[in-house]
Amino acid sequence: MREQLTVWFDAVRQVQNPVIAAYLQTLLLTGARPGEVLALRWDEINTKWRGLTIRDKVEGERVIPLTPYVSHLLHALPRRNEWVFSSLTAAGGVLTIPGKQHGEACAVAGI
């Protein structure tokens, strides 16, 4: 619900892992599927034309708008490998869906 957005964003911004916090916000703001966002690579961010190339199972790929806020979130992340949402501990170097952290943020927000 619209009324829950402020408290949700406040709680997600408190997540200790900045990659997870950026992932959750990007997921909500782009409307892309969780796996599509996690599969995002640095070379799929077009800062000149402000777009994200998202690979999906239906259309193959699509370009969605890159808003200034999402751009800010993504460019603040460490460039450890090819993945935007990288992980030092996960197999393959890419974050897995952070359900536990999202659930904790929702509990903090009271939603």
Side-chain angles (χ1 to χ4, degrees):
M1 293 176 21
R2 172 181 274 169
E3 295 78 18
Q4 297 172 328
L5 287 173
T6 300
V7 293
W8 183 88
F9 273 99
D10 290 343
V12 166
R13 288 182 188 126
Q14 293 176 28
V15 171
Q16 294 299 307
N17 184 325
V19 176
I20 292 173
Y23 162 76
L24 292 170
Q25 293 175 79
T26 300
L27 185 65
L28 179 78
L29 293 169
T30 63
R33 295 174 186 92
E36 295 170 345
V37 174
L38 288 177
L40 188 63
R41 299 171 191 250
W42 289 110
D43 63 355
E44 296 169 332
I45 299 174
N46 184 331
T47 53
K48 180 178 181 180
W49 300 111
R50 297 186 180 261
L52 299 173
T53 301
I54 300 290
R55 306 207 181 286
D56 71 33
K57 59 186 176 187
V58 177
E59 298 174 27
E61 70 178 39
R62 67 187 188 283
V63 177
I64 59 175
L66 175 62
T67 65
Y69 183 71
V70 172
S71 179
H72 167 75
L73 288 174
L74 301 183
H75 286 93
L77 296 175
R79 290 184 180 236
R80 297 178 242 202
N81 57 28
E82 65 190 297
W83 307 107
V84 174
F85 299 102
S86 64
S87 170
L88 294 173
T89 58
V94 65
L95 188 69
T96 57
I97 295 175
K100 178 182 174 187
Q101 293 87 343
H102 185 228
E104 290 169 356
C106 287
V108 166
I111 54 175

